[in-house]
Amino acid sequence: MADFKLPDVGEGLTEAEILTWKVAVGDEIEVNEVLVDIETAKSIVELPSPFAGVVTELLVAEGEVVTVGTPIVRIELVEEQGTVRPKPDDDGAHAGPEGGVLVGYGPKDHGTRRRRRSVETQAETSTTGPVKVAVLAKPPVRKLAKDLGINLADVPHEGRCVTRADIKAWQESRVETPTAADTESPHAPRGGKRREPLSAVRRATAEAMVASAFTAPHVTEWVSVDVSASVGLVDKMRADPAFGETPVSILVLAARAVCLALRRHPTLHARWSEDTLDYPAHVGLGIAAATQRGLLVPVVLDADMLTTPDLAHQIHELVTTARAGRLQPEQMSGGTFTITNVGIYGIDGGTPILPPGQTGILALGAVARRPWVDVETDEIVPRWVSTLALSFDHRVVDGEQASRFLADIARLLEDPALAVAF
């Protein structure tokens, strides 16, 4: 019998939420077969099994947050040709063929197929000791329970699986009776109070923002830009076969402008340390992405070395992966400068907080038709206008450096043909 412990998946993990079990009590599993999806502060990670055997107990329920090293599943090891499969090390991980620490290792034995043991066999197992049975529910029902902060194991149900109706009935039975103060408040939620547990992403985001806000002295500058030429260029790019099926927006041109401007103003992505400023060799461009799990910032590594079509493709691929909840820790590492596109929500601008350790972040505002004074004719004409807001660490750069950097980005978006001069 072996307990599989929650391992550090390579991002300095201290705790994680058990998101979805991929196995149930009685399942026969193979080496490297995925046991469970866990949610860390940065990503959703699949944990494969480092050994083969039969699942006898799920030690942690879905939705629970546990620390690294906590046993999460118990497995009865099987014997092959008289040799017992290796047990996990004390830290729950195994050394792979090259000596690296991995969660699972070795090729799968394709001659063995996973199967669920019969009810009788499970009953025999239960007589030798307590066995926790996994709660069954369809993925939409699991998501509903997670959104409502309900542990599926607590929900009474008559059928084999927990249903949406079971959750609703359980929720209604737990609703607090509103007090007079609740009912008098115009902002009181209907149906009584509701408490929702913080997700790992929300906790991590909060900690990072507090640490950044109270460590780096933030300053924010704005500039409004006539981006009509960029809007026209975006239309041409969408028809260019080089971009294929990749969606193109002004975000791509803003990303290219940032990379070009950083060549002339490298201090805007230098990193502050106690005695030095560390200048990166290339741009690690973070793209803030709103997802169902919260705000995530995937990073386009060496963004300044990419062609514009490749930059567009990587931004789209990373943001799509983030929204699907499948970003890996390494895809959110190495950022040196970040862009947040608040314009997609119709917002003109804001004062973004720096990602910890970074010196600059650019907020791209909504692109909208506005009256604009033509400097040549002195007439008011309708133009496509956007507002750019740059927040920067005043320890690293002063107002002049930041202003010149922001002015360069504005010039490139106002006249993208200037890119050939940078």
Side-chain angles (χ1 to χ4, degrees), residues 232-302:
L233 179 57
V234 166
D235 290 338
K236 294 179 180 178
M237 292 162 62
R238 288 170 176 164
D240 189 338
F243 291 88
E245 300 296 324
T246 301
V248 181
S249 70
I250 198 168
L251 172 62
V252 175
L253 293 183
R256 170 58 66 207
V258 165
C259 291
L260 292 174
L262 284 173
R263 292 180 184 175
R264 292 162 54 127
H265 311 278
T267 308
L268 264 296
H269 73 151
R271 188 180 186 92
W272 173 274
S273 61
E274 288 188 11
D275 302 313
T276 63
L277 290 181
D278 298 327
Y279 289 81
H282 296 289
V283 177
L285 188 62
I287 304 293
T291 73
Q292 289 186 341
R293 300 177 58 229
L295 184 67
L296 300 176
V297 185
V299 176
V300 181
L301 296 176
D302 300 337

Side-chain angles (χ1 to χ4, degrees), residues 342-394:
V342 298
I344 59 176
Y345 306 106
I347 303 301
D348 293 332
T351 55
I353 296 178
L354 294 166
Q358 294 186 24
T359 295
I361 179 172
L362 180 75
L364 178 61
V367 177
R369 293 290 275 178
R370 298 177 188 170
W372 195 260
V373 177
D374 188 311
V375 294
E376 295 182 358
T377 65
D378 206 32
E379 296 179 349
I380 296 177
V381 294
R383 304 291 286 175
W384 290 104
V385 179
S386 179
T387 298
L388 309 177
L390 173 71
S391 289
F392 59 93
D393 185 342
H394 215 328

Side-chain angles (χ1 to χ4, degrees), residues 119-142:
V119 176
E120 291 79 10
T121 305
Q122 293 185 43
E124 291 176 5
T125 304
S126 65
T127 61
T128 62
V131 176
K132 297 181 180 178
V133 179
V135 179
L136 300 180
K138 294 181 179 179
V141 177
R142 291 188 181 279

Side-chain angles (χ1 to χ4, degrees), residues 88-354:
D89 298 330
D90 290 341
D91 60 357
H94 277 274
E98 303 297 328
V101 176
L102 304 174
V103 176
Y105 70 93
K108 291 185 178 181
D109 180 3
H110 296 287
T112 303
R113 299 186 63 185
R114 172 183 165 186
R115 63 177 177 83
R116 186 177 297 280
R117 292 196 295 177
S118 66
V119 176
E120 291 79 10
T121 305
Q122 293 185 43
E124 291 176 5
T125 304
S126 65
T127 61
T128 62
V131 176
K132 297 181 180 178
V133 179
V135 179
L136 300 180
K138 294 181 179 179
V141 177
R142 291 188 181 279
K143 183 180 184 304
L144 174 63
K146 181 177 176 61
D147 292 342
L148 296 176
I150 294 176
N151 186 344
L152 283 174
D154 296 334
V155 179
H157 59 286
E158 295 182 358
R160 187 165 176 265
C161 299
V162 176
T163 66
R164 184 179 294 269
D166 293 329
I167 290 178
K168 290 296 185 183
W170 176 237
Q171 182 190 24
E172 292 174 1
S173 70
R174 298 168 63 227
V175 170
E176 300 178 27
T177 303
T179 64
D182 294 331
T183 56
E184 292 172 2
S185 171
H187 303 292
R190 296 184 179 181
K193 296 179 180 179
R194 182 167 71 92
R195 177 173 294 173
E196 183 175 304
L198 292 175
S199 68
V201 172
R202 175 55 57 198
R203 290 198 306 271
T205 300
E207 292 170 0
M209 293 300 95
V210 170
S212 177
F214 289 95
T215 300
H218 285 57
V219 177
T220 304
E221 295 183 340
W222 296 266
V223 62
S224 293
V225 187
D226 175 1
V227 294
S228 300
S230 286
V231 171
L233 179 57
V234 166
D235 290 338
K236 294 179 180 178
M237 292 162 62
R238 288 170 176 164
D240 189 338
F243 291 88
E245 300 296 324
T246 301
V248 181
S249 70
I250 198 168
L251 172 62
V252 175
L253 293 183
R256 170 58 66 207
V258 165
C259 291
L260 292 174
L262 284 173
R263 292 180 184 175
R264 292 162 54 127
H265 311 278
T267 308
L268 264 296
H269 73 151
R271 188 180 186 92
W272 173 274
S273 61
E274 288 188 11
D275 302 313
T276 63
L277 290 181
D278 298 327
Y279 289 81
H282 296 289
V283 177
L285 188 62
I287 304 293
T291 73
Q292 289 186 341
R293 300 177 58 229
L295 184 67
L296 300 176
V297 185
V299 176
V300 181
L301 296 176
D302 300 337
D304 54 321
M305 305 298 290
L306 299 176
T307 64
T308 302
D310 286 342
L311 181 60
H313 175 72
Q314 288 209 25
I315 290 174
H316 173 65
E317 187 177 70
L318 284 170
V319 171
T320 300
T321 303
R323 289 176 177 160
R326 291 297 171 186
L327 274 180
Q328 296 305 302
E330 62 270 17
Q331 293 175 297
M332 290 179 281
S333 302
T336 65
F337 190 95
T338 294
I339 298 177
T340 176
N341 185 11
V342 298
I344 59 176
Y345 306 106
I347 303 301
D348 293 332
T351 55
I353 296 178
L354 294 166

